[in-house]
Amino acid sequence: MKPAKKNIPSPEVVSPGEPWYSPGLLQQHSEIFALMVRGIKEYAIFFIDVNGYVKTWNEGARAIKWYEPGEILDNHIAAFYTKTDVEKGVVQANLAKARERGYYECEGWRVRKGGSLFWANITFTAIYESDGSLLGFSKVTHDITRQKRNEAKISHQANLIDKTSDAIYSLDASHHILSWNKAAQTVYGYEAAEVLLKPVEEITRTELSDTMRLEINTELKEKKFWNGELQQRRKDGGLFWVFISVSISVDNKNEIDEFVCIARDITAQKRAEEESMAMRKKIESLVREKLNESIKEVADYKYALDKSSIVTMTDANGIIIYVNDNFCAVSKYSPGEVIGKDHRIVNSGYHPADFMHQLWNTIKRGNVWKGEIRNKAKDGTLYWVDTTIIPFIDETGKPYQYLSIRSSITEKKLAETALVLLNEQLEERVKQRTKLLEEANKELESFSYSVSHDLRAPLRAIIGYSKIVQEDYSAMLDDEGNRLFNEIVTNAKMMGQLIDDLLMFSRLGRKALNIAEIDMQQLVQNCVQELMPERGKYMFDIKDLPPCPGDISMVKQVWLNLIGNAVKYSSKTAHPVITIGGKAEARVVTYFVKDNGVGFDMKYAHKLFGVFQRLHRNDEFEGTGVGLALVKRIISKHLGNIWAESEQGRGATFYFSLPAKISI
């Protein structure tokens, strides 16, 4: 719609949004208009025709858009828009809005000569001819890039202030609250609307002494800044601690214009500090207590050491700096006679130079030395000490002192000397006794030879002649005579068996062991077969028998004796059962032979393994009384044990154990 032609207001009273009617003004007053806008540099003011072509160009337009008049006149304003805005039709839309409304204001990015961008505030004002037809538009452009950046910066800072965890608020010169960030709401519990323009003392309720208040005001005047710790109250009345920084700004008269306060809640930190302080005091108390205990303990150790040992201390060069009473007692020197000297004052000269060099090389390297030393007292007497020398090491790893702890071993050394002499004497005695034993063994061998040959000859004669008499003269003898001759033969044979057993018993003591792993299962089977080729009424229960090292010929003799005794002493039982078994353990292997025969009274068990000791009469069970003694000697020679358990009429069990490993 075209505006009416009458009542056209003058340009001085045109309001924004109203069209500027200026019939013929551009032609009639162009020089005046040019003078008005020529010197304005802050604003680009120029005229464009209805199609958007530039017709005038002022100094401000040249300063803002960088085009010279000759470069831009009669060019379209699309040159000032970004390519994107041109493609979107923003240029035509702006012209259309200005044409429709008569006045249009907008902001956006605009393009200078060379392509650089700036943010502009633009107003279009329609200019009409006297007949009301549209002549064109005056276009005013203001570069507000810096203003936009400042606004963005302020907005960013405000955003940061709201995001920080510290309470930030500002006060006027009279201490009334001007601003209050979100963190302040959290810290103090007040919303911004509750505190703005109120005195800060009513909100924070900070209690300050006159001295503290004076100190803060003085520092603010001098430095324009103060920080420290204060105790304040929240909205709910709760006390809390803050670390607060206060800075002031002044006006051009150097009067206080504003206070800026930044407060951080340090209640948890203060509580932690208080707890830490309490803990530190507790630790200090404990350390002090432990230190006192340690000092007493060290004193007790020193007292005990001084009472029980000979103690000296030397510096790094071996110069004596301390001796205790025990050192003086054994060395016969007073402290004043030895302090300041080295240990050569008690050197007896007994030990070679290499011995002393080795000692010093050891402790100089920071190692402990232990050994026995013979020293010489002031009166010339010699004494032995068992010595430990301990280096004290400094931070560089080098010894700076040596502590020597000694104990007197003179009596021990004298006893050792006496023992050496006694051992030498004993060795001589052992040699003499060995010689005597060898002679006795030779005599025993000679006796054994005589027994085996000289005694057997008459026995054989007795047996032989008795048989001749029985064979040739039995008809001439009555029953008693024949019985007596049978007794003579039987006893002669028993005497022969006894001689054989004694010879075996004697030779066993001199016989060396021939150790090998024995298959006990097979050995026992062979012994049973050898003793009982026809088992008759006997039942043998042979369980698993673990192997064991030993002399197989001797161990066989053990099995033959024990199994033979079981057979003999169960012979009068209707159904004799002989059980043989064994069990392997970590260090020993134990075997047993059990029968259900006549058994024996355990009160006589101590006689079982003695020579000629028998628990049954010969008319009950034959025997020489040597068999179990022989078994005992064999087992002992193997470093084993043998024992028995029995009950009269209920059989007997004989056990023997052998080492799982034998080293002879």
Side-chain angles (χ1 to χ4, degrees), residues 500-562:
D500 288 342
D501 289 348
L502 285 172
L503 286 172
M504 181 180 292
F505 186 80
S506 174
R507 284 196 294 269
L508 188 62
R510 301 190 304 275
K511 184 179 179 183
L513 292 176
N514 184 17
I515 301 298
E517 190 75 7
I518 302 173
D519 183 349
M520 289 295 187
Q521 198 78 35
Q522 186 61 50
L523 180 60
V524 169
Q525 293 285 1
N526 294 342
C527 290
V528 170
Q529 183 64 30
E530 184 176 329
L531 289 168
M532 299 287 293
E534 299 293 336
R535 299 188 183 182
K537 66 177 181 176
Y538 289 90
M539 187 181 81
F540 285 87
D541 180 11
I542 303 175
K543 302 184 181 299
D544 290 337
L545 296 170
C548 184
D551 187 310
I552 190 168
S553 62
M554 292 187 185
V555 175
K556 180 180 180 182
Q557 192 65 41
V558 171
W559 284 115
L560 288 172
N561 271 280
L562 294 180

Side-chain angles (χ1 to χ4, degrees), residues 47-53 95 99 127 134-137:
F47 177 76
I48 59 174
D49 65 15
V50 293
N51 295 316
Y53 288 91
L95 289 173
R99 184 182 298 110
I127 298 175
L134 182 62
L135 178 64
F137 305 94

Side-chain angles (χ1 to χ4, degrees), residues 401-528:
Q401 277 183 359
Y402 300 103
L403 171 66
S404 298
I405 303 173
R406 303 176 177 88
S407 58
S408 178
I409 56 170
T410 304
E411 292 182 1
K412 173 189 168 187
K413 297 297 286 188
L414 291 174
E416 287 178 354
T417 302
L419 184 61
V420 169
L421 180 60
L422 179 60
N423 285 336
E424 290 175 354
Q425 293 173 351
L426 284 175
E427 287 179 6
E428 184 61 30
R429 289 180 185 178
V430 168
K431 289 179 182 178
Q432 294 175 359
R433 294 292 176 85
T434 302
K435 184 177 180 182
L436 292 174
L437 184 60
E438 288 175 352
E439 292 174 356
N441 283 335
K442 288 180 181 179
E443 291 177 0
L444 184 59
E445 288 178 4
S446 176
F447 172 74
S448 298
Y449 180 81
S450 296
V451 167
S452 62
H453 291 82
D454 298 346
L455 291 182
R456 284 179 183 278
L459 282 176
R460 283 195 297 270
I462 291 171
I463 293 171
Y465 286 123
S466 295
K467 286 185 176 181
I468 290 171
V469 171
Q470 283 181 308
E471 290 174 1
D472 293 345
Y473 301 99
S474 61
M476 299 174 62
L477 298 173
D478 58 11
D479 292 340
E480 181 63 17
N482 282 311
R483 187 188 68 77
L484 291 174
F485 270 105
N486 285 332
E487 286 293 326
I488 291 171
V489 171
T490 300
N491 280 280
K493 288 181 178 179
M494 185 178 295
M495 178 62 77
Q497 183 62 47
L498 182 58
I499 291 170
D500 288 342
D501 289 348
L502 285 172
L503 286 172
M504 181 180 292
F505 186 80
S506 174
R507 284 196 294 269
L508 188 62
R510 301 190 304 275
K511 184 179 179 183
L513 292 176
N514 184 17
I515 301 298
E517 190 75 7
I518 302 173
D519 183 349
M520 289 295 187
Q521 198 78 35
Q522 186 61 50
L523 180 60
V524 169
Q525 293 285 1
N526 294 342
C527 290
V528 170

Side-chain angles (χ1 to χ4, degrees), residues 201 411 589:
E201 288 294 339
E411 292 182 1
V589 184

Side-chain angles (χ1 to χ4, degrees), residues 36-49:
M36 288 174 61
V37 301
R38 184 181 301 158
I40 298 175
K41 295 183 178 180
E42 290 79 10
Y43 292 87
I45 303 173
F46 55 95
F47 177 76
I48 59 174
D49 65 15

